[in-house]
Amino acid sequence: MGSEEISTSLCEDIPNLLSSFVDTFVDFSVSGGLFLPPPPPPPPLPTRLPSPPRLVAIGDLHGDLEKSKEALRLAGLIDVADRYTGGSATVVQIGDVLDRGGDELKILYFLEKLKREAARRGGRIITMNGNHEIMNVEGDFRFATLPGVEEFRVWWEWFEIGNKMKTLCHGLENPKDPMEGIPSSFRGVREEFHDGFRARVAALRPNGPIAKRFLSQNVTVLVVGDSIFVHGGLLPQHTSYGLEKINEEVRDWVNGSTGRFSPDYCRGADGLVWVRKFSRGDEKECDCSALEHVLSTVPGVKRMVMGHTIQTVGINGVCDDKAIRIDVGLSKGCGDGLPEVLEISGSSGLRILTGNPLYQNKGNVDVGKEQGLGEHGGPRQVEVKA
């Protein structure tokens, strides 16, 4: 290839190089200084995965980046410099990154960074939809905080700058305006927050830049080995409908293919991101026979792992550890609980890794079959709306 051909090829590539540079510039500005590693080829949306040597499950994060990092460090998944150190572990974050805190975008970016680092080290981080992800994509911001609205306003400022920079290059099409069709004011919202609300709608509505980029990677139900993960709970109508079908339809909705509202099975008290049938109260209040029926409809599954309902006693299990509840109310905006994560491994079974100082001198709390996950004085849930 001659020098003239190289020059022509380089000139043809300049628009794409500029676009990539602008996207990196916006990411760095919004995320608080993260440079994301180059993305690996996107894996297919998982629904069923084999049992890994080490499986870690993390509950609701609700916009609290520092407490999220505490939980990740507790599990040995990141070091003091926030780099991934989990090796070949499979990590499941069970949803509800959004609402109740002011670091929602920063957590989304941070988890994306860890996903890319983990993939290069033989590990895998899987994020799930909680009811708050579904609510926000539908435009229900009842539980967004003022810092959370401001975070999206700042995102929009940088995103708009990036779009304007792209229009300066004649080789690029003018980017679509994400604000198209969004009202300039909102009834019941103070005027100074209108810009933040508009930005939040633009970012998170179906096919919005943040929804498409981050939330479309989420699964809604997941089987890993002999455990099934869901934010709220599964009922017989969900398993009979089809787990793969649920994941595909929710992803298509987030990507803007099917209108404003989520599928019916994500909505209402029996929606699989809303169900509290197995996470509220102690074992006497849990319908263990119904749980066993649901588990029997998914071959090879022994337990259901869920978030959604805060467990003030920490991670616990009922129904002979067939229902494992891992939402410890970690976020400062939603309980400020002590960090805890669940570890599942073939060699040691179920184990709670806890930040509770009562147990720190004894090492991790080992919860084998004889003791059970429920042996913490009985679960006492905090009822939290939505």
Side-chain angles (χ1 to χ4, degrees), residues 52 67 69 116 128 277 345 364:
K67 295 291 288 290
K69 289 180 179 180
R116 298 183 186 187
M128 300 190 70
K277 191 177 183 71
S345 65
N364 296 328

Side-chain angles (χ1 to χ4, degrees), residues 178 201-213 254:
V201 172
L204 292 171
R205 65 178 171 174
N207 202 36
I210 297 299
K212 190 174 184 67
R213 179 173 181 183
V254 171

Side-chain angles (χ1 to χ4, degrees), residues 165-184:
M165 292 171 68
K166 291 179 182 180
T167 63
L168 301 176
C169 182
H170 295 296
L172 291 175
E173 292 184 15
N174 286 346
K176 181 182 177 182
D177 181 6
M179 289 288 188
E180 184 179 337
I182 298 175
S184 58

Side-chain angles (χ1 to χ4, degrees), residues 63-346:
D64 191 329
L65 178 61
E66 288 310 310
K67 295 291 288 290
S68 299
K69 289 180 179 180
E70 286 181 33
L72 290 162
R73 289 194 187 99
L74 187 62
L77 297 171
I78 61 172
D79 61 17
V80 293
D82 297 337
R83 294 169 298 208
Y84 178 78
T85 55
S88 61
T90 294
V91 183
V92 179
Q93 195 284 314
I94 209 156
D96 276 9
V97 165
L98 299 180
D99 287 337
R100 303 191 186 279
D103 300 328
E104 298 158 282
L105 284 170
K106 288 184 177 64
I107 295 176
L108 291 175
Y109 273 97
F110 188 66
L111 290 175
E112 177 66 17
K113 178 185 87 80
L114 294 183
K115 284 180 181 182
R116 298 183 186 187
E117 291 177 354
R120 284 165 170 73
R121 290 163 177 78
R124 189 166 192 172
I125 296 177
I126 301 168
T127 50
M128 300 190 70
N129 287 311
N131 58 307
H132 285 266
E133 280 70 43
I134 301 299
M135 291 168 69
N136 275 268
V137 177
E138 289 184 333
D140 184 343
F141 303 149
R142 284 175 291 166
F143 298 94
T145 65
L146 295 182
V149 171
E150 174 64 12
E151 188 185 33
F152 277 85
R153 187 195 65 76
V154 172
W155 163 81
W156 168 247
E157 286 187 350
W158 287 112
F159 191 85
E160 190 176 30
I161 289 171
N163 278 352
K164 287 178 179 176
M165 292 171 68
K166 291 179 182 180
T167 63
L168 301 176
C169 182
H170 295 296
L172 291 175
E173 292 184 15
N174 286 346
K176 181 182 177 182
D177 181 6
M179 289 288 188
E180 184 179 337
I182 298 175
S184 58
S185 62
F186 300 86
R187 183 183 302 174
V189 177
R190 283 159 51 186
E191 186 175 352
E192 60 263 39
F193 303 124
H194 286 173
D195 287 347
F197 257 66
R198 294 189 78 224
R200 197 173 177 103
V201 172
L204 292 171
R205 65 178 171 174
N207 202 36
I210 297 299
K212 190 174 184 67
R213 179 173 181 183
F214 297 110
L215 304 186
S216 66
Q217 298 183 40
N218 291 354
V219 294
T220 307
V221 60
L222 175 69
V223 177
V224 184
D226 56 7
S227 301
I228 191 164
F229 295 84
V230 63
H231 183 73
L234 288 168
L235 301 177
Q237 61 263 34
H238 302 139
T239 56
S240 63
Y241 188 78
L243 306 185
E244 288 84 0
K245 191 175 180 181
I246 287 171
N247 279 337
E248 290 169 3
E249 289 180 351
V250 174
R251 177 196 58 195
D252 290 346
W253 166 66
V254 171
N255 281 330
S257 301
T258 56
R260 174 183 171 186
F261 295 107
S262 63
D264 289 344
Y265 48 74
C266 287
R267 312 182 74 205
D270 287 342
L272 73 174
V273 294
W274 289 94
V275 170
R276 297 188 194 270
K277 191 177 183 71
F278 312 121
S279 60
R280 178 191 286 135
D282 58 21
E283 186 153 350
K284 296 190 292 292
E285 299 177 62
C286 184
D287 190 340
C288 294
S289 61
L291 173 66
E292 290 182 10
H293 173 66
V294 173
L295 294 177
S296 71
T297 65
V298 185
V301 166
K302 295 180 180 179
R303 68 185 67 87
M304 186 184 299
V305 183
M306 66 209 82
H308 189 45
T309 303
I310 294 177
Q311 314 291 314
T312 58
V313 297
I315 294 173
N316 65 86
V318 295
C319 304
D320 294 327
D321 289 346
K322 292 183 174 69
I324 311 296
R325 295 91 74 88
I326 66 169
D327 178 10
V328 295
L330 174 149
S331 169
K332 291 184 181 69
C334 192
D336 200 16
L338 293 167
E340 290 192 348
V341 300
L342 178 71
E343 181 185 73
I344 303 175
S345 65

